[in-house]
Amino acid sequence: MRPNVRRLVIALWTVVFIAFIGLAVRVYLATGNSDSMTATTGAPLAPAIGGPFTLMDHTGRPVTDADFRGKWMLIYFGYTYCPDVCPTSLTTMVDALDLLGEAGTKVVPVLITVDPERDTPAQLASYVAAFGPRVVGLTGTAEQIAAAAKAYRVYYAKAKPKAGDGEVYLMDHSSIVYLVDPQGKFHQHFASHQIDADEMARRLRGIL
Ligand code: NI
């Protein structure tokens, strides 16, 4: 073969080869797409957060999640004997709602205790009062608290008391603020230690 004919043959084979690869890729992608369509029409993969709860508020009144319909909720799981994380988170929540002014009145900040043993309604009442009139404290039986925490995927456990501290113990617990919409559906969460009141207010303003 003369060099220019050989070059032409090589060029033709290159075109055929590229066309073949293109076809193979298209077939592969079409197969992949049909697979992913099967996956998206199946059961939702995202785990549900939140749900119904039956508890008691800081005035001793039995309440359920349904009592908060029509209001947004900022739910925080903590406990009144917490030395720092819980008070800081509750302060952030209340300050953010103060910053929102009128819009802030659409939101009820809620503390659900993870320490029902010590957090009686009376104990919760004096604690939440320290954060102003907005905060609702919720307690319940150990089983009711466990069910609510499970629904929100909150971890909590009694920490071992230090020797000599007797009955004094701390609770280990997740520190997350959950925003629940007026229909009672989980909307989003905030990692309370990574956000200050200004930032929480800014993000809430875009939602409420
Ligand atoms: Ni705490």
Side-chain angles (χ1 to χ4, degrees), residues 79 82 85-86 173:
Y79 68 113
C82 182
V85 179
C86 293
H173 65 95

Side-chain angles (χ1 to χ4, degrees), residues 77-193:
F77 287 77
Y79 68 113
T80 67
Y81 288 83
C82 182
D84 50 24
V85 179
C86 293
T88 305
S89 300
L90 286 168
T91 301
T92 300
M93 290 157 66
V94 170
D95 288 353
L97 296 182
D98 284 347
L99 286 168
L100 287 169
E102 183 63 26
T105 63
K106 297 181 195 169
V107 186
V108 184
V110 177
L111 168 67
I112 300 183
T113 184
V114 293
D115 185 18
E117 201 178 306
R118 289 182 296 190
D119 284 341
T120 59
Q123 169 67 21
L124 277 173
S126 62
Y127 184 75
V128 296
F131 298 92
R134 291 185 195 267
V135 183
V136 173
L138 298 180
T139 186
T141 66
E143 292 75 21
Q144 288 171 330
I145 294 298
K150 190 178 175 202
Y152 280 89
R153 291 157 199 278
V154 165
Y155 163 80
Y156 68 99
K158 200 183 272 192
K160 271 208 186 90
K162 273 180 271 170
D165 277 357
E167 292 297 294
V168 181
Y169 59 85
L170 297 177
M171 300 292 294
D172 294 328
H173 65 95
S174 339
S175 185
I176 293 168
V177 179
Y178 298 91
L179 179 64
V180 175
D181 75 15
Q183 288 76 47
K185 294 262 186 300
F186 166 73
H187 190 85
Q188 72 172 88
H189 72 272
F190 307 100
S192 65
H193 52 286

